[in-house]
């Protein structure tokens, strides 16, 4: 069943789609929700117990803060890529969909890696530790097949020619980090200052590009997002400290044995 303008206005008791901020379509046997492409101001949306398989119509609902999708037919977590632009999304209920799989822990980490701003997932509060762990151990969510996003052919150049272009590499590094934090990718012109001839050797500058990406990203983060980065950084530093301590202990043991 297709969700129509008439049905939306009747349920919301509204006169136009743009004025609708809350909508409950629980158990309406919906399969087509393309109408949401015309509803940019929706804030709270209940679509549980339907037959929805694609989340692409929600990509433009930038005011959405709560989304309930329990018991639908969402086939893959790749559909979550359509929710990345929704920077205000804080509550998501996705349980009992085919995309959830059988490994509950990995499912949760993967969702939180894709959407690290969430404060509640499947009616469970999200902790800072979970977010930090998700950024390291959650699987990367790729764009669904058929989408034109993340294609690397630029200005008619072949992929093979642009793959090793330092400018493209820096964009890739930056946008990968931005995706992990649920942010929109940056455009190519943001990196024009990094395309000087001195950066033409791709392999030696890999780490420097990653650092450039992080520094560029930090400028766009708000207080909450910076806290996520701070926690993740602390955890990484603790890992390095533990590795260093283990190495030192191993070396001392070897010296004693000799």
């Amino acid at each position: 069943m297709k969700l129509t303008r008439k049905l939306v206005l009747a349920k919301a008791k509204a006169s136009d789609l743009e004025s609708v901020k809350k909508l409950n379509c629980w158990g309406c046997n919906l399969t087509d929700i393309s109408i949401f492409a015309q509803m940019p101001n929706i804030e709270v949306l209940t679509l549980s117990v339907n037959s929805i398989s694609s989340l692409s119509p929600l990509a433009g609902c930038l005011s959405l803060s709560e989304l309930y999708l329990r018991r639908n037919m969402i086939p893959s977590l790749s559909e979550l890529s359509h929710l990345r632009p929704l920077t205000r999304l804080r509550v998501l209920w996705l349980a009992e969909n085919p995309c959830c799989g059988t490994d509950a822990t990995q499912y949760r980490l993967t969702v939180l890696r894709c959407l690290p701003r969430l404060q509640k997932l499947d009616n469970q509060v999200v902790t800072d530790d979970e977010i930090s762990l998700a950024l390291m151990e959650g699987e990367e969510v790729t764009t669904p097949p058929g989408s034109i996003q993340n294609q690397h052919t630029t200005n008619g150049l072949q992929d093979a020619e642009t793959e090793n272009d330092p400018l493209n590499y820096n964009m890739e590094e930056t946008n990968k980090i931005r995706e992990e934090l649920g942010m929109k990718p940056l455009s190519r012109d943001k990196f024009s200052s990094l395309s000087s001839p001195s950066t033409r050797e791709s392999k030696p500058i890999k780490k420097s590009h990653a650092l450039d990406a992080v520094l560029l990203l930090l400028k766009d983060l708000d207080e909450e997002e910076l806290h996520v980065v701070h926690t993740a950084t602390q955890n990484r530093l603790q890992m390095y400290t533990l590795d260093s301590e283990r190495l030192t202990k191993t070396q001392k043991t070897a010296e004693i044995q000799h």
Side-chain angles (χ1 to χ4, degrees):
M1 178 179 172
K2 181 176 182 178
L3 182 60
T4 63
R5 181 178 184 276
K6 182 178 179 179
L7 183 57
V8 169
L9 296 181
K11 282 184 169 293
K13 297 180 181 180
S15 58
D16 61 89
L17 294 177
E18 291 191 357
S19 66
V20 177
K21 293 188 176 182
K22 294 184 179 181
L23 185 65
N24 188 339
C25 292
W26 190 97
C28 292
N29 197 32
L30 298 177
T31 56
D32 186 338
I33 57 171
S34 56
I35 189 69
F36 290 112
Q38 304 173 47
M39 300 175 61
N41 299 320
I42 189 76
E43 296 177 1
V44 179
L45 180 56
T46 300
L47 294 171
S48 297
V49 194
N50 283 290
S51 298
I52 298 165
S53 59
S54 174
L55 301 180
S56 59
L58 301 177
C61 300
L62 302 182
S63 297
L64 197 61
S65 62
E66 298 182 24
L67 177 59
Y68 302 92
L69 290 163
R70 185 176 63 88
R71 288 182 61 186
N72 272 278
M73 298 300 293
I74 300 169
S76 169
L77 290 178
S78 64
E79 287 296 322
L80 294 180
S81 64
H82 298 301
L83 304 183
R84 281 178 174 142
L86 311 186
T87 58
R88 298 182 183 180
L89 187 64
R90 294 295 181 267
V91 177
L92 175 65
W93 200 330
L94 191 63
E96 298 179 70
N97 274 274
C99 64
C100 298
T102 57
D103 188 338
T105 300
Q106 191 59 39
Y107 149 75
R108 190 171 174 88
L109 291 176
T110 298
V111 173
L112 293 178
R113 174 174 175 174
C114 181
L115 303 171
R117 291 185 179 87
L118 289 180
Q119 296 175 354
K120 185 179 287 188
L121 173 61
D122 295 340
N123 207 33
Q124 294 184 21
V125 174
V126 175
T127 67
D128 290 340
D129 288 342
E130 275 189 300
I131 295 296
S132 299
L133 187 62
L135 292 176
M136 292 185 289
E137 298 187 8
E139 295 178 10
E140 184 176 359
V141 171
T142 57
T143 305
S147 173
I148 60 173
Q149 296 178 357
N150 297 331
Q151 290 184 358
H152 298 291
T153 302
T154 308
N155 295 330
L157 296 176
Q158 297 295 320
D159 287 343
E161 293 177 309
T162 59
E163 181 179 4
N164 293 323
D165 180 356
L167 183 56
N168 276 303
Y169 183 83
N170 199 31
M171 287 175 61
E172 182 179 344
E173 289 291 315
T174 303
N175 287 333
K176 183 175 180 181
I177 297 170
R178 293 179 71 89
E179 285 180 5
E180 290 177 0
L181 293 173
M183 302 177 69
K184 289 183 179 180
L186 294 177
S187 60
R188 185 180 178 87
D189 58 10
K190 291 276 188 179
F191 303 93
S192 58
S193 62
L194 301 175
S195 58
S196 63
S198 62
T199 61
R200 289 301 175 189
E201 296 180 16
S202 58
K203 288 186 179 180
I205 60 173
K206 181 174 182 179
K207 288 187 177 180
S208 127
H209 271 177
L211 179 59
D212 288 338
V214 172
L215 294 177
L216 282 169
L217 176 62
L218 289 177
K219 297 177 182 179
D220 293 334
L221 299 183
D222 58 24
E223 183 178 356
E224 180 182 349
E225 293 159 347
L226 285 169
H227 180 67
V228 172
V229 174
H230 177 66
T231 303
T233 302
Q234 283 184 317
N235 288 343
R236 293 281 290 179
L237 286 172
Q238 287 176 358
M239 290 174 60
Y240 282 119
T241 300
L242 288 173
D243 289 342
S244 178
E245 290 176 350
R246 291 193 193 100
L247 179 60
T248 301
K249 186 177 294 185
T250 302
Q251 289 175 341
K252 288 183 177 179
T253 302
E255 290 174 359
I256 293 172
Q257 291 175 345
H258 285 82

